[in-house]
Amino acid sequence: MFKAVMNAKNFKKIIDSISNLVDEICFEVDELGIKANAMDPSHVALISVNIPKESFDEYVSDTHDIGVDLEALKKIMNRAKPNEKLMLELDMEKNKLDIILKNEGTRKFSISLYDVSSSNVKVPEIGYPNEVMIKAGTIVESLKDAELVNDHVSLKITEDGKFIIYSKGDINTNETVLDRDNESIIELKISESSKSTYNLAYLKDITKATSSEDILHIHLGTDMPVKIEYIIGDTKLIYLLAPRIES
Amino acid sequence: MFKAVMNAKNFKKIIDSISNLVDEICFEVDELGIKANAMDPSHVALISVNIPKESFDEYVSDTHDIGVDLEALKKIMNRAKPNEKLMLELDMEKNKLDIILKNEGTRKFSISLYDVSSSNVKVPEIGYPNEVMIKAGTIVESLKDAELVNDHVSLKITEDGKFIIYSKGDINTNETVLDRDNESIIELKISESSKSTYNLAYLKDITKATSSEDILHIHLGTDMPVKIEYIIGDTKLIYLLAPRIES
Amino acid sequence: MFKAVMNAKNFKKIIDSISNLVDEICFEVDELGIKANAMDPSHVALISVNIPKESFDEYVSDTHDIGVDLEALKKIMNRAKPNEKLMLELDMEKNKLDIILKNEGTRKFSISLYDVSSSNVKVPEIGYPNEVMIKAGTIVESLKDAELVNDHVSLKITEDGKFIIYSKGDINTNETVLDRDNESIIELKISESSKSTYNLAYLKDITKATSSEDILHIHLGTDMPVKIEYIIGDTKLIYLLAPRIES
């Protein structure tokens, strides 16, 4: 069995965070909580989510793989109202996941399970020279600036302690320069200068579901995948995005 | 002659309520007020509107048929501002309807009359086993839920006194279950269980112009047309929508 | 050299006002300020802008022609936040204009200069019989009304002192009648009745960037170009729009 109750708003944000990158996912549920790892269809980005039992108001579960169409689940969660309770329940007989929204009345959705293989994708353990802790809003705005000049963006760390978001187009350029004095920087841990370039659309998808005050942990190195982590309630989300190797 | 003055906001809402279903209409005006009956182009839905003399601040009229293009009239009424006065006046010489909006300045639109036959459409007298009085907002939200799984929806009454809005797609299902305890239910008059299925797009069009606190009177039976009534000021709107007979 | 600092919000509004009509422009800068004159690609409308030195918090400049792609500049200015400072600086070595937005962090855009010839376009000195000073909001709303019936609009002055915005379509007509008593009319200087017809889309573009309380000075005559002037801070904008000669 699998039955879990939580605030609809938090689950909606988790689903938004995942569904911007992948179309379907296998939730691996057990007595400890819900986990999922997936790569985007082009294998450029990896997402890992861990929703521990403690995130839920109620939680009872055996071990199951629950494969779902994220697009359908996202649309359903978009129908949730701010203060609604969400109940997720596995209907093993019908092979469906029931999504029940409760406030005044009861609204129930049942979605068919998909045979999504619980991937063997794991977040690789990589040592990074640099780490930036920054408010998500600043990153989101910088990406919108960068988007005006090109479809990729460089994340740079300078030796004198600056974090630079840089984009260069055929005609125009853009850069946002941030240092420790900036209000949106929580912490800068720098051990060397670095530079990597990433696909802008992926970075936008990764940060799309964040609120401007969410804190992003961004791990950076030269020509390395960027690792971005953030927390929704007790849920931890990890993204890994491969660099664009410039010829 | 025909000359009528009313609050622009109410007339705008009446026109919105009609124009979602029909493209042109013949207003039958006389000394008692304005009436109109029409079927939608596919003859699936019927609308009947009665705006009595009492709805107007001023009203003087002989007997006329005033055929108008509802799309044009709707666009004009969308230009009205919240507190404007609306004056409707028949210009028999030019065969036009003058629509005058007044607050500070005077804005005047003149639209050509159409030769829309005053249809012999009448709302049939049907006895219904069940009646639901419910806040429009709850219906509108339930239809949005149902829309995620299919393009038709079943309205069900159960013998134990529940009103269920149910939709079943190839993969997913959705239902909203409401009973007398629900805050949005004003009254449930039930004499037998019933079920009918309707085209979702029509139900959306019928309820599109409602405000969430408007009270809908919904008359239901098994495989019967649904009759939905509501009131805007002193104006009564009646919709009849044919059931979808499932094979 | 050229270096100028001003409130980002005002410069954004100036660029919006220009870019609705022309795609690229040559700013002629010198020690007195920034000037530009341009015709729209179809040579139906002329725009003239004068941003005097006094509009800026800081201003130092030699004589230069700075040709820019207005579409790119507009998109950049749309990224400015309400209270940001804007610094414009000519990078003569790289042949670029730097656009620097400053609040907490520093965001810098560099755009390539275009070889836009500083046109010899001048606003012709024309004597007009009539002048209307009116709040921009009323004109904008009247144009939206007129748009429902046709794609051109007549601006009329009657001998008894009315300013009429009139549109006639194949089926419907619209008119807004304004006189001295109207709250939105600041002044009407009338010496004769007049009527000219203009392309509605151009008039919308000309007034698009105005705020509803901005005061427009509209100079009118029969079959004459309309001259519309307004002020943003210390900056003066002049538009001239050729009449549509009805056959």
Side-chain angles (χ1 to χ4, degrees), chain A residues 141 145 171-173 175 183, chain C residues 79 96 107-108 110 112:
Chain A
E141 292 300 313
D145 283 355
I171 350 183
N172 305 331
T173 63
E175 66 178 12
E183 177 266 344
Chain C
R79 296 289 310 137
K96 296 212 171 194
R107 300 144 69 207
K108 179 176 159 185
S110 299
S112 294

Side-chain angles (χ1 to χ4, degrees), chain A residues 141 144-145 148-149 171-178 181-183, chain C residues 72 75-76 79 81 96 104-112 114:
Chain A
E141 292 300 313
K144 286 185 191 164
D145 283 355
L148 296 187
V149 309
I171 350 183
N172 305 331
T173 63
N174 164 252
E175 66 178 12
T176 299
V177 178
L178 300 162
D181 296 338
N182 193 282
E183 177 266 344
Chain C
K75 280 181 183 165
I76 290 168
R79 296 289 310 137
K81 285 163 205 145
K96 296 212 171 194
E104 268 290 329
T106 300
R107 300 144 69 207
K108 179 176 159 185
F109 293 87
S110 299
I111 62 173
S112 294
Y114 276 57

Side-chain angles (χ1 to χ4, degrees), chain C residues 26-70:
Chain C
C26 178
F27 289 116
E28 301 165 48
V29 307
D30 60 22
E31 75 274 15
L32 297 174
I34 303 178
K35 281 186 199 169
N37 295 291
M39 296 204 77
D40 85 288
S42 339
H43 286 233
V44 173
L46 179 158
I47 184 165
S48 171
V49 58
N50 184 4
I51 320 176
K53 190 181 170 173
E54 291 70 30
S55 302
F56 298 90
D57 298 335
E58 292 174 41
Y59 187 87
V60 212
S61 182
D62 301 322
T63 300
H64 299 283
D65 279 358
I66 302 179
V68 295
D69 174 9
L70 278 172

Side-chain angles (χ1 to χ4, degrees), chain B residues 111-206:
Chain B
I111 61 172
S112 293
L113 298 190
Y114 277 57
D115 191 16
V116 183
S117 60
S118 75
S119 66
N120 293 315
V121 176
K122 284 274 166 295
V123 181
E125 292 290 333
I126 307 176
Y128 282 92
N130 303 312
E131 181 181 351
V132 178
M133 281 174 64
I134 185 172
K135 289 190 183 166
T138 300
I139 292 294
V140 167
E141 291 300 313
S142 299
L143 295 177
K144 286 186 190 164
D145 283 354
E147 203 178 15
L148 296 187
V149 309
N150 211 332
D151 61 0
H152 54 269
V153 66
S154 299
L155 302 183
K156 301 201 283 193
I157 296 287
T158 62
E159 272 183 33
D160 61 340
K162 294 200 171 67
F163 173 45
I164 299 174
I165 297 142
Y166 178 78
S167 181
K168 185 175 174 0
D170 289 340
I171 351 182
N172 304 332
T173 63
N174 163 253
E175 66 177 13
T176 299
V177 178
L178 300 161
D179 59 24
R180 284 188 176 83
D181 296 338
N182 193 282
E183 178 266 345
S184 67
I185 297 282
I186 315 303
E187 203 173 338
L188 280 179
K189 294 185 200 164
I190 296 179
S191 67
E192 62 183 49
S193 65
S194 70
K195 182 186 170 195
S196 289
T197 301
Y198 304 99
N199 183 302
L200 189 45
Y202 278 97
L203 282 175
K204 283 190 75 178
D205 282 345
I206 287 170

Side-chain angles (χ1 to χ4, degrees), chain C residues 17-31:
Chain C
S17 302
I18 308 174
S19 63
N20 293 330
L21 276 182
V22 287
D23 299 332
E24 47 184 36
I25 205 161
C26 178
F27 289 116
E28 301 165 48
V29 307
D30 60 22
E31 75 274 15

Side-chain angles (χ1 to χ4, degrees), chain A residues 21-228:
Chain A
L21 276 182
V22 287
D23 299 332
E24 46 183 37
I25 206 160
C26 178
F27 290 116
E28 300 164 48
V29 306
D30 60 22
E31 75 275 14
L32 298 174
I34 304 179
K35 280 186 199 169
N37 295 291
M39 296 204 76
D40 85 287
S42 340
H43 285 234
V44 173
L46 179 157
I47 184 165
S48 171
V49 57
N50 184 4
I51 320 175
K53 189 183 171 171
E54 291 71 31
S55 301
F56 297 91
D57 297 335
E58 292 174 41
Y59 187 87
V60 213
S61 181
D62 301 324
T63 300
H64 298 285
D65 280 359
I66 302 180
V68 295
D69 172 10
L70 278 172
E71 195 55 32
L73 186 52
K74 183 186 187 174
K75 280 181 184 166
I76 290 168
M77 291 314 301
N78 278 340
R79 296 290 310 137
K81 284 161 205 149
N83 293 316
E84 278 183 325
K85 275 279 163 210
L86 165 76
M87 189 197 289
L88 299 171
E89 196 167 6
L90 186 62
D91 182 337
M92 295 183 65
E93 202 178 313
K94 295 188 182 160
N95 201 35
K96 297 212 170 194
L97 179 68
D98 291 345
I99 298 140
I100 298 154
L101 294 166
K102 271 198 182 173
N103 52 6
E104 269 290 330
T106 300
R107 300 144 69 208
K108 180 176 159 184
F109 292 88
S110 299
I111 60 172
S112 293
L113 299 190
Y114 276 56
D115 191 17
V116 184
S117 60
S118 75
S119 66
N120 292 314
V121 176
K122 285 273 166 295
V123 181
E125 292 289 333
I126 307 175
Y128 283 93
N130 302 313
E131 181 180 351
V132 178
M133 282 175 63
I134 185 172
K135 289 189 184 169
T138 300
I139 293 294
V140 168
E141 292 300 313
S142 300
L143 296 177
K144 286 185 191 164
D145 283 355
E147 204 178 13
L148 296 187
V149 309
N150 211 332
D151 61 1
H152 55 269
V153 66
S154 300
L155 303 183
K156 301 201 282 194
I157 297 287
T158 63
E159 271 182 36
D160 61 341
K162 293 200 172 71
F163 172 45
I164 298 175
I165 297 143
Y166 178 77
S167 183
K168 186 176 174 359
D170 289 340
I171 350 183
N172 305 331
T173 63
N174 164 252
E175 66 178 12
T176 299
V177 178
L178 300 162
D179 59 24
R180 283 187 177 83
D181 296 338
N182 193 282
E183 177 266 344
S184 68
I185 296 283
I186 315 303
E187 204 173 336
L188 279 180
K189 294 185 199 163
I190 296 179
S191 66
E192 61 183 49
S193 67
S194 69
K195 182 185 170 196
S196 289
T197 302
Y198 304 98
N199 182 302
L200 189 45
Y202 278 97
L203 282 175
K204 283 190 75 178
D205 281 344
I206 287 170
T207 53
K208 199 186 274 175
T210 59
S211 310
S212 63
E213 295 295 309
D214 285 345
I215 307 299
L216 302 184
H217 291 241
I218 306 180
H219 302 262
L220 290 163
T222 294
D223 290 337
M224 285 172 71
V226 59
K227 179 159 110 179
I228 299 178

Side-chain angles (χ1 to χ4, degrees), chain B residues 220-236:
Chain B
L220 290 164
T222 294
D223 291 337
M224 286 171 71
V226 57
K227 179 160 110 179
I228 300 178
E229 299 170 291
Y230 72 99
I231 301 288
I232 299 171
D234 293 306
T235 297
K236 189 172 190 177

